[in-house]
Amino acid sequence: MGGLVLLFLVAMAAFTWVRPNDQDTVSYWYKFGKWTQTGFNVGIAASPWVLLPGGDVALQYFTTMMYVWYIGVATLTSNAGVPIGRWEVVLMTVSLAVFALSQDTSYRIPVAILISVIGLTMLGLRSLVQRALGAALEAQAQSARSEAATQRALAIVAAERDSKTRFIASATHDLQQPLAAAGFHFESSLQLGPQQDRAVAGVRSSLASASELIGLMLDYLRLDAGAVKPRPQPVPLGPLMRAEALNLEPAAAAAGMTIRIAPSSAIVVGDPAILARAIGNLLANAVRHSGGRHVLIGTRRRGALVDLWVIDDGRGLPDGWSAWLFADYGTGAVATARMGLGLASVRRQSELLGGSVALEPRWRHGAAFRLSLPRA
């Protein structure tokens, strides 16, 4: 017993000196603490038979009651980290009760019964203590999880708020540019002369740009509000690709670009109107922002999906843009280039159709966007 006490004191001094981290505490010191506690309890169970025989009867019973007191204290102060074992309580109780019965006194039986009742009570209290500790730890863990979830939700709300603020500022700035240009051209058109026709054309172009931007904003806001409801049906991609390419031919010609269409017989499941807007947004993005000479649109079957590709030979996109290129409201250079609005709409449109949109990172001669849709 003295050796156990000495070992415990040495271990406590070492623990205080080393100051182990949480992982070392769980993997090593927990085991040591459990073995030390078990050794103490086994020693308590054996000590009456080793230390008390031959002593004064009153001292024996007083010491026995002290052992019983130790059982109560050890049970009530047991924690979830190093809990006292049920068998340890039973071992100490039985040892003390049998020792009491072995004494030649008239009250040995009542004392043994008292010790047994106290032991059974400690077993019940042990179960209550362990359940209370378990419930407290679970409540603490749940509180920590709830706090972490709240912090994440607040961070998301703050990020969305900041993104919307940047979006509004960027969209307002972009909308002011064509309107200001329209005003300038309108003032010029009032002056008769050879520049009048050019000024009128400038007014038309500026107002068309403003109208286009407003249309993009309205499209996105309808998607953001969940006001767009798809009506899935089989949709041949070939006619849609040709129609959207035809719509963008004037803009492509003005940018010095050509749109090539790879013949396609692919049929997907989707809403024709939503799908047309998604294809149009991808083509418009390539025509207006790629800075290239050619745009290719085509399809390829891939298992249960059909991949619609829009590929340009322009300047491409910097590394790292793909992570937030389709983010809501756009950020940084994406928002400045007015790419975040249209591409974010494509992402939402593809999700409505049960598909996805991505930038192919391996394409190095421009940009390659892949719109994946369920095959009919």
Side-chain angles (χ1 to χ4, degrees):
M1 194 69 177
L4 283 174
V5 173
L6 180 61
L7 179 62
F8 177 76
L9 293 176
V10 170
M12 289 300 296
F15 185 87
T16 305
W17 177 263
V18 174
R19 295 182 181 274
N21 56 36
D22 292 343
Q23 183 177 0
D24 291 339
T25 301
V26 172
S27 62
Y28 176 74
W29 291 96
Y30 163 79
K31 297 177 183 177
F32 179 83
K34 182 61 180 174
W35 293 338
T36 302
Q37 177 181 271
T38 301
F40 267 115
N41 292 335
V42 172
I44 291 294
S47 60
W49 302 93
V50 176
L51 302 176
L52 297 183
D56 181 73
V57 174
L59 178 62
Q60 288 180 343
Y61 277 107
F62 174 77
T63 307
T64 300
M65 290 300 102
M66 291 297 294
Y67 286 157
V68 172
W69 172 82
Y70 169 78
I71 295 175
V73 171
T75 302
L76 294 176
T77 58
S78 176
N79 58 61
V82 188
I84 186 171
R86 186 180 289 106
W87 69 271
E88 296 173 51
V89 177
V90 172
L91 177 63
M92 290 187 288
T93 301
V94 171
S95 176
L96 293 173
V98 173
F99 180 79
L101 286 173
S102 69
Q103 305 304 305
D104 187 17
T105 61
S106 59
Y107 45 81
R108 60 183 182 177
I109 293 178
V111 170
I113 293 174
L114 176 62
I115 293 173
S116 300
V117 170
I118 292 175
L120 291 173
T121 303
M122 291 302 105
L123 283 175
L125 286 175
R126 175 192 173 277
S127 298
L128 290 176
V129 168
Q130 294 303 313
R131 283 199 294 269
L133 284 171
L137 290 174
E138 176 60 29
Q140 185 179 13
Q142 180 63 37
S143 176
R145 289 193 294 269
S146 299
E147 183 178 359
T150 301
Q151 293 298 326
R152 288 194 298 271
L154 290 175
I156 291 173
V157 170
E160 290 182 352
R161 179 199 61 209
D162 294 342
S163 295
K164 290 182 179 181
T165 301
R166 288 192 297 268
F167 160 72
I168 292 171
S170 176
T172 302
H173 176 266
D174 288 344
L175 190 56
Q176 286 174 343
Q177 287 181 329
L179 292 178
F184 171 76
H185 290 303
F186 180 75
E187 291 293 336
S188 299
S189 69
L190 295 180
Q191 301 175 10
L192 298 178
Q195 300 297 324
Q196 187 178 40
D197 292 340
R198 184 176 178 181
V200 171
V203 172
R204 291 196 183 100
S205 177
S206 299
L207 292 178
S209 296
S211 176
E212 176 195 349
L213 181 57
I214 292 172
L216 280 173
M217 293 171 62
L218 291 176
D219 274 351
Y220 184 82
L221 292 175
R222 280 194 292 265
L223 289 167
D224 193 36
V228 180
K229 303 299 181 184
R231 297 179 181 178
Q233 58 184 279
V235 181
L237 288 179
L240 275 184
M241 291 160 51
R242 289 191 295 270
E244 293 305 314
L246 184 62
N247 289 338
L248 282 163
E249 270 190 3
M257 300 183 69
T258 58
I259 301 176
R260 294 176 53 198
I261 306 170
S264 174
S265 60
I267 301 176
V268 299
V269 176
D271 184 297
I274 298 176
L275 188 52
R277 296 295 288 178
I279 296 173
N281 281 334
L282 287 177
L283 282 173
N285 177 73
V287 169
R288 295 185 175 92
H289 305 297
S290 70
R293 306 294 296 174
H294 304 282
V295 179
L296 173 66
I297 178 170
T299 62
R300 177 174 293 180
R301 293 175 176 83
R302 178 166 58 93
L305 299 175
V306 173
D307 292 334
L308 186 147
W309 290 88
V310 176
I311 305 172
D312 64 69
D313 61 352
R315 67 179 68 92
L317 295 169
D319 293 335
W321 273 37
S322 58
W324 39 274
L325 190 60
F326 302 97
D328 288 338
Y329 302 106
T331 57
V334 169
T336 303
R338 285 169 44 188
M339 295 174 69
L341 191 60
L343 292 180
S345 295
V346 174
R347 176 182 61 80
R348 287 184 175 266
Q349 288 159 345
S350 66
E351 291 172 353
L352 281 175
L353 299 173
S356 62
V357 64
L359 175 69
E360 175 54 58
R362 295 172 295 180
W363 188 264
R364 294 299 178 186
H365 304 288
F369 289 88
R370 182 183 67 247
L371 178 62
S372 299
L373 300 163
R375 186 175 174 180

